[in-house]
mmCIF file of all heavy atoms in Angstrom:
data_model
loop_
_atom_site.group_PDB
_atom_site.id
_atom_site.type_symbol
_atom_site.label_atom_id
_atom_site.label_comp_id
_atom_site.label_asym_id
_atom_site.label_seq_id
_atom_site.Cartn_x
_atom_site.Cartn_y
_atom_site.Cartn_z
ATOM 1 N N PRO A 4 95.352 123.844 106.416
ATOM 2 C CA PRO A 4 93.890 123.684 106.483
ATOM 3 C C PRO A 4 93.519 122.646 107.530
ATOM 4 O O PRO A 4 94.290 121.719 107.784
ATOM 5 C CB PRO A 4 93.516 123.218 105.074
ATOM 6 C CG PRO A 4 94.767 122.632 104.514
ATOM 7 C CD PRO A 4 95.911 123.367 105.164
ATOM 8 N N PRO A 5 92.365 122.791 108.155
ATOM 9 C CA PRO A 5 91.969 121.818 109.179
ATOM 10 C C PRO A 5 91.714 120.448 108.552
ATOM 11 O O PRO A 5 91.355 120.340 107.385
ATOM 12 C CB PRO A 5 90.679 122.408 109.758
ATOM 13 C CG PRO A 5 90.172 123.324 108.713
ATOM 14 C CD PRO A 5 91.365 123.822 107.945
ATOM 15 N N THR A 8 88.218 115.749 109.451
ATOM 16 C CA THR A 8 87.507 115.167 110.585
ATOM 17 C C THR A 8 87.617 116.020 111.844
ATOM 18 O O THR A 8 87.144 115.619 112.896
ATOM 19 C CB THR A 8 88.050 113.760 110.876
ATOM 20 O OG1 THR A 8 89.447 113.855 111.100
ATOM 21 C CG2 THR A 8 87.764 112.813 109.739
ATOM 22 N N ALA A 9 88.236 117.198 111.747
ATOM 23 C CA ALA A 9 88.417 118.038 112.939
ATOM 24 C C ALA A 9 87.071 118.416 113.555
ATOM 25 O O ALA A 9 86.934 118.468 114.777
ATOM 26 C CB ALA A 9 89.225 119.282 112.594
ATOM 27 N N LYS A 13 85.927 117.600 117.426
ATOM 28 C CA LYS A 13 85.459 118.624 118.373
ATOM 29 C C LYS A 13 84.062 118.305 118.880
ATOM 30 O O LYS A 13 83.782 118.422 120.077
ATOM 31 C CB LYS A 13 85.479 119.995 117.718
ATOM 32 C CG LYS A 13 86.863 120.531 117.478
ATOM 33 C CD LYS A 13 86.797 121.877 116.778
ATOM 34 C CE LYS A 13 88.182 122.386 116.455
ATOM 35 N NZ LYS A 13 88.162 123.666 115.741
ATOM 36 N N VAL A 27 77.465 111.934 135.710
ATOM 37 C CA VAL A 27 77.939 112.001 137.098
ATOM 38 C C VAL A 27 76.925 112.728 137.981
ATOM 39 O O VAL A 27 76.609 112.284 139.093
ATOM 40 C CB VAL A 27 79.331 112.663 137.177
ATOM 41 C CG1 VAL A 27 79.714 112.967 138.609
ATOM 42 C CG2 VAL A 27 80.375 111.783 136.516
ATOM 43 N N LEU A 30 73.984 110.457 138.521
ATOM 44 C CA LEU A 30 74.313 109.392 139.475
ATOM 45 C C LEU A 30 74.322 109.911 140.905
ATOM 46 O O LEU A 30 73.831 109.245 141.824
ATOM 47 C CB LEU A 30 75.671 108.778 139.139
ATOM 48 C CG LEU A 30 75.705 107.762 138.012
ATOM 49 C CD1 LEU A 30 77.143 107.404 137.661
ATOM 50 C CD2 LEU A 30 74.921 106.518 138.388
ATOM 51 N N ALA A 34 71.821 108.732 143.860
ATOM 52 C CA ALA A 34 72.358 108.141 145.082
ATOM 53 C C ALA A 34 71.862 108.854 146.333
ATOM 54 O O ALA A 34 71.770 108.242 147.397
ATOM 55 C CB ALA A 34 73.887 108.177 145.050
ATOM 56 N N PHE A 51 77.778 105.238 130.268
ATOM 57 C CA PHE A 51 78.240 104.211 129.329
ATOM 58 C C PHE A 51 78.624 104.809 127.984
ATOM 59 O O PHE A 51 79.537 104.325 127.320
ATOM 60 C CB PHE A 51 77.161 103.143 129.082
ATOM 61 C CG PHE A 51 76.843 102.284 130.266
ATOM 62 C CD1 PHE A 51 75.606 101.697 130.381
ATOM 63 C CD2 PHE A 51 77.769 102.055 131.267
ATOM 64 C CE1 PHE A 51 75.294 100.890 131.464
ATOM 65 C CE2 PHE A 51 77.477 101.254 132.359
ATOM 66 C CZ PHE A 51 76.235 100.673 132.452
ATOM 67 N N ALA A 53 79.551 108.092 127.330
ATOM 68 C CA ALA A 53 80.564 109.155 127.332
ATOM 69 C C ALA A 53 81.881 108.695 126.703
ATOM 70 O O ALA A 53 82.409 109.380 125.817
ATOM 71 C CB ALA A 53 80.780 109.690 128.746
ATOM 72 N N LEU A 65 92.281 108.848 113.296
ATOM 73 C CA LEU A 65 93.256 107.809 112.974
ATOM 74 C C LEU A 65 92.921 107.002 111.729
ATOM 75 O O LEU A 65 93.813 106.572 111.007
ATOM 76 C CB LEU A 65 93.385 106.844 114.161
ATOM 77 C CG LEU A 65 93.815 107.468 115.483
ATOM 78 C CD1 LEU A 65 93.782 106.428 116.580
ATOM 79 C CD2 LEU A 65 95.193 108.093 115.347
ATOM 80 N N ARG A 66 91.657 106.780 111.499
ATOM 81 C CA ARG A 66 91.228 105.934 110.389
ATOM 82 C C ARG A 66 90.054 106.573 109.666
ATOM 83 O O ARG A 66 89.323 107.377 110.220
ATOM 84 C CB ARG A 66 90.784 104.558 110.904
ATOM 85 C CG ARG A 66 91.855 103.761 111.588
ATOM 86 C CD ARG A 66 92.817 103.174 110.568
ATOM 87 N NE ARG A 66 93.783 102.294 111.178
ATOM 88 C CZ ARG A 66 95.008 102.672 111.537
ATOM 89 N NH1 ARG A 66 95.397 103.908 111.370
ATOM 90 N NH2 ARG A 66 95.838 101.800 112.056
ATOM 91 N N LEU A 71 81.171 106.776 110.390
ATOM 92 C CA LEU A 71 81.453 107.334 111.713
ATOM 93 C C LEU A 71 80.660 108.606 112.024
ATOM 94 O O LEU A 71 80.093 108.726 113.113
ATOM 95 C CB LEU A 71 82.949 107.572 111.868
ATOM 96 C CG LEU A 71 83.543 107.307 113.237
ATOM 97 C CD1 LEU A 71 83.108 106.002 113.836
ATOM 98 C CD2 LEU A 71 85.049 107.390 113.174
ATOM 99 N N LEU A 99 59.218 114.079 127.629
ATOM 100 C CA LEU A 99 59.392 115.120 126.623
ATOM 101 C C LEU A 99 58.194 115.187 125.689
ATOM 102 O O LEU A 99 57.630 116.253 125.459
ATOM 103 C CB LEU A 99 60.663 114.852 125.798
ATOM 104 C CG LEU A 99 61.982 114.919 126.539
ATOM 105 C CD1 LEU A 99 63.125 114.518 125.608
ATOM 106 C CD2 LEU A 99 62.210 116.320 127.075
ATOM 107 N N PRO A 101 55.196 112.021 123.735
ATOM 108 C CA PRO A 101 54.885 110.590 123.684
ATOM 109 C C PRO A 101 55.889 109.831 122.811
ATOM 110 O O PRO A 101 56.266 110.294 121.736
ATOM 111 C CB PRO A 101 53.488 110.550 123.056
ATOM 112 C CG PRO A 101 52.897 111.879 123.380
ATOM 113 C CD PRO A 101 54.042 112.851 123.368
ATOM 114 N N ILE A 106 61.728 106.093 120.823
ATOM 115 C CA ILE A 106 62.342 106.627 119.604
ATOM 116 C C ILE A 106 63.836 106.828 119.832
ATOM 117 O O ILE A 106 64.664 106.481 118.981
ATOM 118 C CB ILE A 106 61.657 107.937 119.172
ATOM 119 C CG1 ILE A 106 60.226 107.655 118.697
ATOM 120 C CG2 ILE A 106 62.458 108.640 118.071
ATOM 121 C CD1 ILE A 106 59.387 108.906 118.501
ATOM 122 N N PHE A 110 67.031 105.078 117.896
ATOM 123 C CA PHE A 110 68.168 105.818 117.349
ATOM 124 C C PHE A 110 69.477 105.259 117.893
ATOM 125 O O PHE A 110 70.470 105.144 117.154
ATOM 126 C CB PHE A 110 68.057 107.308 117.679
ATOM 127 C CG PHE A 110 67.324 108.115 116.644
ATOM 128 C CD1 PHE A 110 65.942 108.109 116.576
ATOM 129 C CD2 PHE A 110 68.018 108.894 115.736
ATOM 130 C CE1 PHE A 110 65.269 108.849 115.637
ATOM 131 C CE2 PHE A 110 67.356 109.649 114.786
ATOM 132 C CZ PHE A 110 65.973 109.627 114.734
ATOM 133 N N GLN A 129 95.109 108.946 104.927
ATOM 134 C CA GLN A 129 96.231 109.345 104.083
ATOM 135 C C GLN A 129 96.903 110.571 104.688
ATOM 136 O O GLN A 129 96.219 111.486 105.116
ATOM 137 C CB GLN A 129 95.738 109.659 102.664
ATOM 138 C CG GLN A 129 95.075 108.476 101.986
ATOM 139 C CD GLN A 129 95.988 107.280 101.847
ATOM 140 O OE1 GLN A 129 97.188 107.417 101.631
ATOM 141 N NE2 GLN A 129 95.439 106.085 102.009
#
Side-chain angles (χ1 to χ4, degrees):
T8 57
K13 290 178 183 178
V27 170
L30 280 171
F51 293 154
L65 301 175
R66 298 284 186 264
L71 217 47
L99 295 175
I106 292 169
F110 270 79
Q129 300 300 325

